[in-house]
Amino acid sequence: MLDGVGEIERAITAAGYDVRPSHADGLASNVMISQDGAVQLVDFDEARNVDPLYEIGILLNEAFPFEEEMRPALEVFEGSFRQASLDRCRAYAAADDLMWGLWGMLMNSTSPRGDIEFLKYAQWRLLRCRMALRHPDFELKLRRL
């Protein structure tokens, strides 16, 4: 998985990217929506300057299991759908899954909070990462960045 994420890093670096101030923590529990539809983000401990497609990619990864569901949300985000943007979002999502999967494994081994299911969380994130990296179109997606 580290090799696959290394390929992602090289492809994104070669394609170039912009950075903007960002929330950078796409967990659904960090997004609050009021009854009138106003959106508020909470939990800014991961905030930093990142590619805006990283921001939306990790949120889409959390919110939608299939790319077909991601397309309309990405269209709202960018104003039109672009396959290269979806491919970049998916690449960032795979790398994010690896990072949080490894974090979950570390927490499972070191945290005194034994009642939290760190291992289950890690296994889910690592499985999703593995699935993305082994997708038949993985290399094609990287070339389209």
Side-chain angles (χ1 to χ4, degrees):
M1 284 188 281
L2 290 173
D3 290 341
V5 170
E7 290 179 41
I8 291 170
E9 178 185 23
R10 287 185 290 280
I12 289 173
T13 299
Y17 56 93
D18 296 322
V19 294
R20 302 283 184 271
S22 179
H23 180 254
D25 195 354
L27 289 174
S29 62
N30 291 340
V31 179
M32 297 174 59
I33 303 173
S34 70
Q35 289 180 343
D36 65 356
V39 176
Q40 183 173 0
L41 301 176
V42 297
D43 192 5
F44 283 82
D45 64 319
E46 295 294 324
R48 59 192 178 277
N49 292 330
V50 298
D51 182 341
L53 290 173
Y54 170 79
E55 176 79 17
I56 192 70
I58 61 174
L59 179 61
L60 293 176
N61 197 39
E62 176 77 10
F64 302 110
F66 302 108
E67 286 188 5
E68 296 79 31
E69 298 168 323
M70 295 176 183
R71 288 184 178 112
L74 188 56
E75 183 177 354
V76 169
F77 179 73
E78 289 196 303
S80 64
F81 174 75
R82 295 178 338 125
Q83 185 63 48
S85 294
L86 179 59
D87 292 338
R88 184 178 292 246
C89 286
R90 300 295 286 150
Y92 280 131
D96 189 66
D97 278 336
L98 178 60
M99 179 188 73
W100 287 109
L102 293 174
W103 174 87
M105 296 292 288
L106 176 66
M107 294 302 292
N108 183 63
S109 297
T110 62
S111 177
R113 299 177 295 170
D115 57 329
I116 298 177
E117 295 182 333
F118 291 116
L119 183 59
K120 184 185 289 186
Y121 178 76
Q123 289 171 333
W124 165 242
R125 296 297 293 252
L126 294 172
L127 173 65
R128 196 164 58 178
C129 176
R130 239 181 266 112
M131 289 170 46
L133 296 176
R134 291 184 179 166
H135 191 279
D137 292 336
F138 174 69
E139 291 180 10
L140 173 64
K141 290 173 188 270
L142 293 184
R143 286 194 300 268
R144 292 191 301 217
L145 298 183

